[in-house]
Amino acid sequence: METTGWRVRVFERRPEPGPASTSRQRSWVLAMYPRGIRPVQSVASVPLLAERAYKGLVVVPAKEGAKPVVLERTGDPRGIRPVQSVASVPLLAERAYKGLVVVPAKEGAKPVVLERTGVLMDRTLLATSLLEAARGQYASRVEFSFGSALRDLELDRKVAVFGGEGSGSDLRVQYDMLVGADGANSTVRSLLAAAYPGQFDTEIISSGPSSGPDSGPGSYKAVYGMPVVPVAAAWAPDSSAPEADRTLGEFFFFLSGGSKGFMSVCKDIDGTFCGYLAGPESLWEGLRSREDYLAVLPSAAPQLPAEWLPLLADKLLEAPLSSFPVMRSLSRFWAPGGVVLLGDAAHTVTPALGQGLNSALQDCELLVAELRPGQAASSPESLDAALRRFSEARAPEIRALQELELLQSTSLARLNLSAGLSAVLPLLLRKWLVINYSGLALVGTVVATIAAEGRRKKRAEAAAAQAAGTGTGTAEARAAEAAAGASGVEAAQQAMADTLGAQMVATYVRSPPMYELLRGHMGYRDMLTRLYGMAALGTGCTAVLLYGIGSLLSAAAARVLAG
């Protein structure tokens, strides 16, 4: 907002974030995708994010005299770009992108994307890094007030009333625009719902990722600090590659589901593993001791390493129980008088696709795009028009995201036929869509992997033939000579380029299908359209296959009867 000329005052109900005031056990780690990182990097310089980004890395082309190819940082715009466009946030810079783009030398050619599935962020570390960046770069026009809860809104006067815990008097603040980014239990949204009956009522779409037709909202316990063991290390997509060739800092999920619930595990930012055990409310009723957890873990998470179970039981016994958010839909995100809702205040999602933070940051980016200097702030009417445009463009995108969340969480949900036809039919339909989409995506993955390996072999054969024809030795020998003659920086760049090239073949085509959609640099509606299209194609292929099988069986039966 400050970059468009606004003076900003931020009021936060909670105390200022910091290691002493925040517990990781009440939350799950954040997954930031390029759609979330790029918005941040476009507005802020965050050293922690930039530290690990590959910047200006040059891949020396094999063909002599060809134009060098530069590896550039890139990203899907949803979450990262809004923050980076206005502030320098070290944490975002450290883990800036899940991948790189090889910009082709030929103008207009399609870039080759070297991507990983995501980047983990610690919530407290991210919050403090963003706060530090904002204070350091925008101190003159951005002000923060912690421990200040919104009490009331006088919409006709454009006045917000804040009060702190234990404070004797309220603070009345005049505003030109009020941005409600106050979470899933938004006070701003509640006050708007009271002021505009029927216009800000939320529709409950889903109770949470662990919920089946009869399980309620679902709860979870988060654990951290699980050691690296061979079984867990093998979960990495490139675990079969030599250690030196593996993608550093890759983020991936491992889901282990059973009859009692499921557990989601991933590699934490410190190299250990973290995760959460999730299930319906009934799961937790009988868990009172370490022995109780040891008894239930094999049925809730049967694929976890046996070495982890005693430590997991201890950690889960001590961890607090938290509830998954209820996914809600809102038809509009703005109100007359310069009021707008962002993030969870406007649209809650589940952790199923890791898009809560990323979609909220993209909200910021899209709102700022409507508020560019001279476009919106000239009058209250023009401001309201800008907020309306933002809301009308964003609401359908968010509804598509929520449908994607339902499809992803449905793939983990258990069927309960006793729940009734109205609950079971939507679940069956979504399972069918995911199965057909995933089936075609798997075929595409296999084809892409075979094609990539074929290209690699052809390049190797061509290099060997060239070496034999020129008498200069093997391709490996010539590469070694070139590296020996290069400077230290050039040698390091060449080594990194070789590693990235190997990773493209080893890992890029082997990610889970739903996450391929997230990495597709497209809008949520486009993602949903692609999923529906592939599911329809898969359904058609299934129908043709079944028809063919039926025809063969009928013909065989007719021959038997005739004989």
Side-chain angles (χ1 to χ4, degrees):
M1 296 297 300
E2 194 277 344
T3 61
T4 63
W6 292 82
R7 185 176 182 85
V8 182
R9 296 188 67 180
V10 179
F11 292 87
E12 170 59 52
R13 175 180 57 82
R14 292 170 293 189
E16 183 166 341
S21 63
T22 309
S23 169
R24 294 188 81 191
Q25 289 184 314
R26 280 294 182 187
S27 65
W28 177 232
V29 290
L30 297 171
M32 290 195 77
Y33 297 89
R35 71 187 71 240
I37 297 171
R38 192 166 73 189
V40 178
Q41 289 183 325
S42 64
V43 296
S45 171
V46 186
L48 187 57
L49 276 183
E51 191 176 312
R52 296 182 186 176
Y54 299 104
K55 200 171 184 180
L57 182 63
V58 172
V59 179
V60 180
K63 186 178 179 181
E64 188 175 353
K67 185 178 179 182
V69 177
V70 181
L71 293 181
E72 296 181 349
R73 293 183 295 173
T74 187
D76 187 344
R78 287 204 179 89
I80 301 164
R81 191 172 63 197
V83 179
Q84 288 180 326
S85 65
V86 297
S88 170
V89 186
L91 180 62
L92 282 181
E94 180 185 349
R95 303 176 182 92
Y97 293 102
K98 62 181 178 180
L100 303 169
V101 164
V102 180
V103 181
K106 185 178 179 181
E107 189 174 353
K110 187 178 180 181
V112 177
V113 184
L114 307 177
E115 294 198 4
R116 291 172 279 176
T117 53
V119 175
L120 281 181
M121 288 288 178
D122 176 80
R123 292 172 184 267
T124 302
L125 191 56
L126 177 61
T128 54
S129 296
L130 289 170
L131 185 59
E132 180 182 344
R135 283 173 168 165
Q137 298 167 53
Y138 302 105
S140 63
R141 296 184 61 82
V142 177
E143 178 183 345
F144 293 89
S145 298
F146 292 95
S148 300
L150 179 65
R151 304 292 192 201
D152 196 12
L153 285 178
E154 298 176 10
L155 295 170
D156 54 339
R157 296 185 177 89
K158 288 193 171 186
V159 170
V161 182
F162 297 92
E165 301 229 353
S167 61
S169 60
D170 291 335
L171 175 65
R172 297 169 59 84
V173 180
Q174 191 85 33
Y175 63 82
D176 294 311
M177 178 171 62
L178 178 70
V179 178
D182 50 342
N185 299 314
S186 170
T187 302
V188 176
R189 188 184 64 228
S190 297
L191 293 171
L192 290 177
Y196 299 95
Q199 297 187 45
F200 288 91
D201 295 337
T202 58
E203 174 192 356
I204 296 179
I205 299 176
S206 171
S207 299
S210 65
S211 61
D214 64 340
S215 60
S219 302
Y220 70 93
K221 285 192 172 188
V223 294
Y224 295 86
M226 304 307 298
V228 178
V229 296
V231 172
W235 294 337
D238 54 356
S239 60
S240 60
E243 188 170 352
D245 294 340
R246 295 177 188 174
T247 308
L248 298 178
E250 181 166 16
F251 167 58
F252 60 89
F253 275 118
F254 178 81
L255 299 176
S256 180
S259 58
K260 298 291 186 180
F262 75 89
M263 189 152 191
S264 176
V265 180
C266 67
K267 206 164 190 179
D268 204 349
I269 56 178
D270 62 359
T272 63
F273 284 83
C274 58
Y276 64 83
L277 177 65
E281 303 299 332
S282 59
L283 171 68
W284 313 101
E285 294 172 358
L287 299 178
R288 298 289 184 267
S289 66
R290 182 176 189 267
E291 289 68 30
D292 293 336
Y293 280 99
L294 283 173
V296 80
L297 278 171
S299 57
Q303 296 169 294
L304 294 185
E307 305 96 306
W308 278 6
L309 298 184
L311 183 57
L312 267 176
D314 291 335
K315 289 179 175 289
L316 288 168
L317 180 62
E318 298 298 325
L321 185 64
S322 303
S323 296
F324 281 111
V326 174
M327 191 156 65
R328 301 174 183 271
S329 176
L330 197 63
S331 61
R332 57 184 293 176
F333 304 154
W334 78 285
V339 183
V340 65
L341 300 172
L342 300 180
D344 284 348
H347 48 80
T348 52
V349 295
T350 73
L353 291 176
Q355 291 301 297
L357 171 66
N358 294 278
S359 62
L361 289 172
Q362 191 185 31
D363 285 351
C364 302
E365 178 184 39
L366 296 174
L367 175 62
V368 168
E370 293 289 353
L371 300 176
R372 290 299 176 191
Q375 291 183 4
S378 57
S379 69
E381 292 76 18
S382 61
L383 175 60
D384 281 349
L387 299 184
R388 178 195 288 271
R389 289 193 300 272
F390 161 77
S391 175
E392 291 178 348
R394 190 61 173 156
E397 279 286 301
I398 293 301
R399 189 61 189 89
L401 168 61
Q402 291 174 327
E403 181 59 29
L404 288 166
E405 295 266 0
L406 286 174
L407 289 165
Q408 175 74 357
S409 57
T410 292
S411 65
L412 301 173
R414 295 171 59 85
L415 275 176
N416 186 343
L417 299 179
S418 64
L421 201 59
S422 61
V424 173
L425 278 181
L427 187 63
L428 283 173
L429 176 60
R430 289 191 173 100
K431 279 185 175 292
W432 177 260
L433 291 172
V434 171
I435 288 171
N436 280 275
Y437 164 75
S438 300
L440 280 185
L442 178 61
V443 171
T445 295
V446 172
V447 171
T449 302
I450 293 173
E453 182 62 17
R455 289 193 298 270
R456 186 192 68 77
K457 288 182 178 179
K458 286 183 179 179
R459 287 195 300 269
E461 291 170 358
Q466 182 181 7
T470 59
T472 57
T474 65
E476 290 81 1
R478 287 186 287 107
E481 292 172 5
S487 67
V489 173
E490 290 171 342
Q493 290 178 340
Q494 184 61 52
M496 181 63 73
D498 293 340
T499 300
L500 290 170
Q503 289 169 1
M504 182 175 67
V505 176
T507 67
Y508 177 67
V509 295
R510 291 173 18 178
S511 295
M514 193 68 80
Y515 287 91
E516 286 296 329
L517 283 176
L518 291 175
R519 297 175 359 172
H521 305 282
M522 64 180 74
Y524 292 124
R525 280 184 291 180
D526 293 335
M527 291 163 57
L528 188 62
T529 299
R530 174 173 294 188
L531 187 148
Y532 284 156
M534 291 182 67
L537 181 58
T539 300
C541 293
T542 302
V544 170
L545 180 62
L546 291 176
Y547 177 79
I549 293 173
S551 298
L552 289 175
L553 290 176
S554 297
R559 285 196 297 270
V560 169
L561 293 174

